[in-house]
Amino acid sequence: FGVQTNKPAQCKIDFKLTEGYEEMAYYFGESNLFDYNHTQRLNIPNKRAIEALVQSQNDSLDETTGIFIENNNQYDLYVRCTSANGYYNPDPYVVSFCVDDGPDATPPQIVETSIRNNQPVQFEVDEVPIIVYTNEPATCKWSRTDQQYDKMENEMQCAKSIADMEANMLYPCKGTLTGLEDRKDNKYYFRCEDQPWAKEDERIKMTQSYVLTLKGTQPLNIKEDSIGPEANEVVTGATSSVEVNLALETENGYENGKAECYYSTDNDNFVPMFETNSHTHSQRQDLTQGEYNYYFKCVDLGGNTALGQTNFKVFVDTFAPAVVRVLNDANRLKIITDEDATCYYSVNENTECNYEIGNNTVAQLMPHEIQDEKNEHFAVWNIKDNYYIKCKDENDKQPAPTQCSIIVKPEDLVEEEE
């Protein structure tokens, strides 16, 4: 049963009429969330079931045994709800009901299980513990084939008394499911019989099986060459802390590599990656200059685990590129920088070095002859011009606005006569 409120509220319920909201014992539906709809489940045996259990144990209904029936199995439950501001209804809402004394004419029901249906299972695990929860005390069995209760081969350890109800208002039956096979669906069939204290001809069996499917999986692995930064890579930046993107991909396992991945710097304390729960995973780190080792652990829904690691260096680039050589290469001006760079030159005597790199109206790009050799730069050779050259690297380090990387004045080379 449930209640609905006209605004988000937190609700409580109690068998006793208390003075206020705070004194009430239980959250409605075991939830302390502020919501509009609130649902509560109760599982109460009727008078006949209580009396039958007591008789089967040669006990009596009294306070010495701790088993007794109040108000002839009629109940009043008191409900109060409070808003986020602390206002609640002083007069409780009362839910009144009774439990029918008639004989039990229905079989037990399996309401939930400790492992959800279609749950994946770790690779090469061939047995798992299981708990099935019934709505009344029962005895249960399981089988790999759908058959009658009496023919099922595997018995379970079940709660057989109404006093064995757990916090979820249900009765547990425990067992171990065996014979799990990898890479395929494994079906298990459950049936139960109620009233363990009753005579056999008075008990009611389930005529339809509760079916639970467990999915066998395959190993999870980290995709080859997917971890970044790569081993021994140097990550450069121009600021005191450099952005480093940790990344990797998972495959196989359950759902084609879908997993939760974690990272660690000590291979002990692992932290969830920011972008994960997929087959691709990433995490930003802002690191100072130094050497780093990172460890990765990925786990899919079936419990399959994949491990990986990488090591890399972080280099903080604080200097603009320097020109280390100037050449006449086949009647072309060629300069070589001490790192990969982009260089521009201007021959404008009015602006000289005072221009912005990339401003094509004032300066011209010095192209690379071979794209993989980005530290070599070329321009036309003209002895009439002064070349005001400015270079910047991949981290945008460059000379001050009015300074050049180098000023070059070409000259004719005259061979001396012997």
Side-chain angles (χ1 to χ4, degrees), residues 136-154:
E136 60 178 307
T139 54
C140 297
K141 296 180 181 182
W142 67 267
S143 176
R144 294 302 300 267
T145 57
D146 189 6
Q147 55 187 330
Q148 294 179 359
Y149 172 82
D150 294 330
K151 295 182 179 181
M152 287 187 163
E153 309 89 350
N154 303 281

Side-chain angles (χ1 to χ4, degrees), residues 320-327 333-339 341-344 366 375 377 388-392 399 404-408:
V323 177
V324 294
R325 294 190 69 184
V326 180
L327 307 169
L333 173 63
K334 176 181 177 180
I335 64 169
I336 299 176
T337 52
D338 63 349
E339 60 177 308
T342 300
C343 295
Y344 281 78
M366 300 183 71
N375 66 330
H377 317 268
Y388 300 94
I389 300 173
K390 304 179 74 169
C391 299
K392 68 175 182 178
C404 283
S405 301
I406 192 171
I407 301 174
V408 177

Side-chain angles (χ1 to χ4, degrees), residues 210-227:
Y210 181 93
V211 184
L212 178 69
T213 301
L214 301 182
K215 294 183 175 292
T217 61
Q218 57 186 340
L220 177 73
N221 64 279
I222 295 175
K223 189 175 180 179
E224 187 176 0
D225 297 328
S226 70
I227 295 179

Side-chain angles (χ1 to χ4, degrees), residues 130-133 140 155-159 166 172-176:
I130 184 74
I131 305 175
V132 300
Y133 293 94
C140 297
E155 295 188 356
M156 307 182 74
Q157 300 297 318
C158 298
E166 294 202 342
C173 277
K174 301 179 181 180
T176 300

